[in-house]
Amino acid sequence: MTKMITQGETIAAIATAIVPQQGSIGIIRLSGNKALNIAQTLFIAPGKQKWESHRILYGYIRHPQTEQVIDEALLLMMLAPRSYTREDVIEFHCHGGIMPVQQVLQLCLEQGAILAQPGEFTLRAFLNGRIDLTQAESIRELVSARSQQASQMALAGLQGKLAQPIQTLRHHCLDILAEIEARIDFEEDLPPLDENAISQGLKSILEQFESILNTAEQGELLRNGLKVAIVGRPNVGKSSLLNAWSRSDRAIVTDLPGTTRDVVESQLVVGGIPIQVLDTAGIRQTTDQVEKIGVERSRLAASQADLVLLTIDATVGWTSQDSEIYQPIRHLPVILVINKIDLATPNLSQFPPEITEIVKTSAANHQGIEALEAAILKAINQQKLTANNLDFAINQRQSAALTRAKIALQQVQITIAEDLPLDFWTIDLRSAIQALGEITGEEITESVLDKIFSRFCIGK
C-alpha cells in the first residue's frame, strides 16, 4: 500500500478550482466509510427527500454544534461500489467562492475526515480495481488537455484503448513463458518445444511493440505542445504579430524600440497542436539595464524553443544585426517572417540560403497569419511529429517500460539463436512481462505510484 493513502481513512478535498468572485459552484468531495455519516451530520434535507445512492438532495449545510447555516447546497451520494473510488463518495455542491467551500471542508475535517493528498481519489480508484494505471494517467491528461486532439487521445486511454493491447501482449508473453516452463518441469511428458513458433511469436510481439512505441513522440507533442519563440530586432513587429495571431492585445505595441522588456507568453492551438508562443524583447546592444535583462531572456527563450520565428522588417530588409541574431539559433528549425509587407516589397535574395521557409505578413492588417500557421504545421510534419489519427499514445513512463520489455524480448531471441538452455529464456521473458505489467499497474512499486499520483491536482 502506497504511503499516499491511509487504509480505512475518509478523505476530503475541494474538487473545483476556486476563483474569488468568478466561481459559481464549489464542490467538496469525500470518500471513505465515514463519508455518509459526515454528510448526515452536516446536511439538512427538508421535506421527505430520500437518502439514496445516486440521488441529489437539496438543503442546507450547518454547523452540528452551533446549528449556524453555512450554505444552501446540493448533496450528491454515490455509495460503494458504484462510485469513482468504489468507496462511499459524497459531494457537497456549494456556492462558489473561497469562504463557503473552505468552511464546509473544515467542518468535514472536524467530523473525522482527513485532507486528501494530490490524486488520492484516483489512486483509490486504481487500488480498488475500478481503473488500471493507464486509465488513471489518462484522467490526469484529460484534465490538463490543451487541445481537442489531446482531449480525445486522453479519453481513448480512459476507455482502455491503450490498456487492451498492452494486456494482450503481456498475455502472449505469459503463454510463451508457460510453454517453456512446462518443458522445463515435464520435459519427458510433452512433445519437443517448437522453437520456430516461439521465435515467430516473439517477432510478432516485437512488431506490435514498435507500433506502440511510435506513438510516443506524437503523444508528447499533443500533451505538451510546441514552444515557438518570436525573435528579432526591436520594432520589427514581433508584438504586433503575436497580437494578430492570438487575436488579443497580449503585448504592448508602440513605435518605440525596446517596448517589450520581458518574454510575453500566449497559448494557441494550431492544427490541433497546443502552441506556446513567446514574444521576446527586441535583441540589440543596449545600456539600459532592464532592457539588457530582457534581451538575455530573449536569447535564452530562443535557444530553448522547438521552433523560432525570426522576424524582420520588410522596409529595412536583412541587416547585420539579423545575422547576429540568426547565428546562435541556426541549428534550430527557423521560419523567416517578413513583416510589414504592406509598406515594402522585400528582396528575397538577401536572406541566408539555408532558410527555406519564408512567410510574408502584415501584422497590423492581420495578413499572412494562415500562411504562418501552415508553415508551422509543415515544420512539425518535417520532424515526423504529425498528430493525426491517433487512437492512443503512450507517455514517457509507459514508453520507458515498453522499451525495457522490447530489449528483454530481443535478448530472448539472442538466447534462442545461441541455443542456450531453456532456463535462460525465462529470465528475460519474466523481465518483459514485469515491464508490461508496470504500464497497466499489474506490477508496480509504491515509489512509482507516489510519483505518478503526486502530479495530480488535489481533489482528483
Side-chain angles (χ1 to χ4, degrees):
M1 187 68 68
T2 176
K3 65 183 180 182
M4 288 181 59
I5 189 169
T6 304
Q7 185 70 23
E9 294 282 4
T10 296
I11 55 175
I14 299 171
T16 48
I18 303 302
V19 182
Q21 301 178 351
Q22 293 187 29
S24 58
I25 296 176
I27 299 176
I28 297 87
R29 177 178 292 157
L30 297 96
S31 179
N33 54 18
K34 295 180 182 177
L36 180 59
N37 181 260
I38 292 173
Q40 291 173 332
T41 301
L42 301 180
F43 194 80
I44 303 300
K48 298 181 180 180
Q49 301 178 68
K50 293 182 180 180
W51 286 70
E52 295 177 348
S53 184
H54 293 77
R55 290 180 66 95
I56 297 176
L57 303 182
Y58 161 78
Y60 300 89
I61 301 169
R62 70 178 184 182
H63 194 288
Q65 278 78 47
T66 66
E67 297 189 353
Q68 177 187 356
V69 174
I70 303 301
D71 196 9
E72 180 184 25
L74 298 176
L75 183 142
L76 175 59
M77 287 185 296
M78 294 163 284
L79 304 183
R82 296 172 56 213
S83 73
Y84 182 68
T85 62
R86 281 193 173 166
E87 301 174 337
D88 287 349
V89 171
I90 295 292
E91 288 183 356
F92 295 105
H93 291 231
C94 307
H95 289 96
I98 294 175
M99 290 311 299
V101 293
Q102 287 286 7
Q103 290 183 81
V104 175
L105 176 61
Q106 184 59 37
L107 286 178
C108 292
L109 299 180
E110 290 174 1
Q111 295 303 310
I114 63 172
L115 194 62
Q117 296 295 313
E120 191 169 355
F121 290 93
T122 304
L123 174 60
R124 290 193 175 197
F126 165 70
L127 293 175
N128 291 330
R130 182 181 175 274
I131 56 175
D132 66 31
L133 201 52
T134 66
Q135 292 172 306
E137 290 176 294
S138 294
I139 290 170
R140 182 175 66 86
E141 291 167 6
L142 185 60
V143 171
S144 60
R146 294 159 54 193
S147 70
Q148 184 177 353
Q149 285 192 26
S151 175
Q152 289 299 310
M153 184 180 67
L155 189 59
L158 182 56
Q159 293 171 338
K161 291 185 178 180
L162 171 58
Q164 191 275 327
I166 295 296
Q167 289 169 341
T168 298
L169 291 170
R170 187 169 183 268
H171 289 152
H172 287 337
C173 291
L174 284 167
D175 290 341
I176 294 173
L177 179 62
E179 280 283 311
I180 297 170
E181 289 186 331
R183 297 311 189 284
I184 295 173
D185 295 334
F186 308 104
E187 183 177 6
E188 296 180 355
D189 302 324
L190 295 172
L193 187 66
D194 189 343
E195 293 186 10
N196 183 59
I198 296 292
S199 296
Q200 289 300 315
L202 292 175
K203 181 181 178 182
S204 175
I205 292 172
L206 283 168
E207 288 173 353
Q208 294 176 70
F209 278 8
E210 204 62 44
S211 176
I212 297 173
L213 283 168
N214 286 338
T215 68
E217 285 188 338
Q218 299 168 299
E220 192 70 13
L221 180 66
L222 284 178
R223 292 185 187 97
N224 299 324
L226 201 70
K227 185 180 291 186
V228 176
I230 307 175
V231 302
R233 293 181 293 107
N235 216 34
V236 296
K238 299 184 299 299
S239 296
S240 296
L241 182 63
L242 172 64
N243 290 343
W245 193 7
S246 62
R247 297 175 180 84
S248 67
D249 295 324
R250 295 294 304 274
I252 299 173
V253 179
T254 72
D255 293 330
L256 299 174
T259 301
T260 301
R261 299 298 184 94
D262 206 347
V263 176
V264 178
E265 297 184 11
S266 188
Q267 302 291 334
L268 305 174
V269 177
V270 177
I273 298 169
I275 304 287
Q276 180 187 12
V277 186
L278 308 176
D279 173 28
T280 64
I283 299 176
R284 66 170 178 172
Q285 296 296 325
T286 178
T287 57
D288 186 305
Q289 289 299 314
V290 176
E291 187 180 355
K292 187 179 291 186
I293 294 172
V295 169
E296 289 304 313
R297 290 182 178 179
S298 297
R299 295 185 190 276
L300 179 63
S303 66
Q304 295 177 343
D306 301 306
L307 178 67
V308 176
L309 306 182
L310 177 55
T311 308
I312 69 169
D313 186 337
T315 64
V316 178
W318 186 269
T319 68
S320 59
Q321 284 181 281
D322 296 315
S323 296
E324 291 176 7
I325 296 170
Y326 175 59
Q327 285 304 314
I329 59 172
R330 63 186 305 163
H331 65 287
L332 296 170
V334 174
I335 296 175
L336 181 64
V337 180
I338 307 173
N339 194 32
K340 305 183 184 180
I341 59 168
D342 56 314
L343 303 178
T345 301
N347 179 7
L348 299 181
S349 64
Q350 63 185 185
F351 307 126
E354 63 266 29
I355 299 181
T356 58
E357 202 61 47
I358 299 175
V359 177
K360 302 174 186 177
T361 65
S362 172
N365 298 318
H366 293 252
Q367 295 178 10
I369 302 301
E370 290 184 2
L372 177 61
E373 292 187 344
I376 290 172
L377 292 175
K378 180 180 177 181
I380 294 171
N381 292 333
Q382 286 173 345
Q383 297 177 58
K384 298 181 180 179
L385 291 178
T386 178
N388 295 326
N389 302 320
L390 278 181
D391 285 333
F392 62 82
I394 56 177
N395 59 31
Q396 289 182 341
R397 183 194 73 84
Q398 296 158 355
S399 177
L402 191 58
T403 299
R404 292 201 310 274
K406 172 186 170 182
I407 293 171
L409 288 193
Q410 288 173 335
Q411 187 58 46
V412 176
Q413 289 182 316
I414 295 172
T415 301
I416 294 173
E418 293 179 352
D419 200 24
L420 293 174
L422 296 181
D423 301 78
F424 287 83
W425 301 21
T426 64
I427 296 172
D428 293 305
L429 260 174
R430 288 195 184 95
S431 296
I433 291 166
Q434 180 176 352
L436 292 172
E438 289 178 13
I439 296 176
T440 58
E442 291 166 282
E443 298 191 42
I444 198 72
T445 63
E446 291 184 11
S447 60
V448 172
L449 283 181
D450 289 337
K451 185 176 181 180
I452 291 172
F453 287 97
S454 64
R455 298 172 183 170
F456 281 62
C457 59
I458 294 176
K460 191 57 183 172

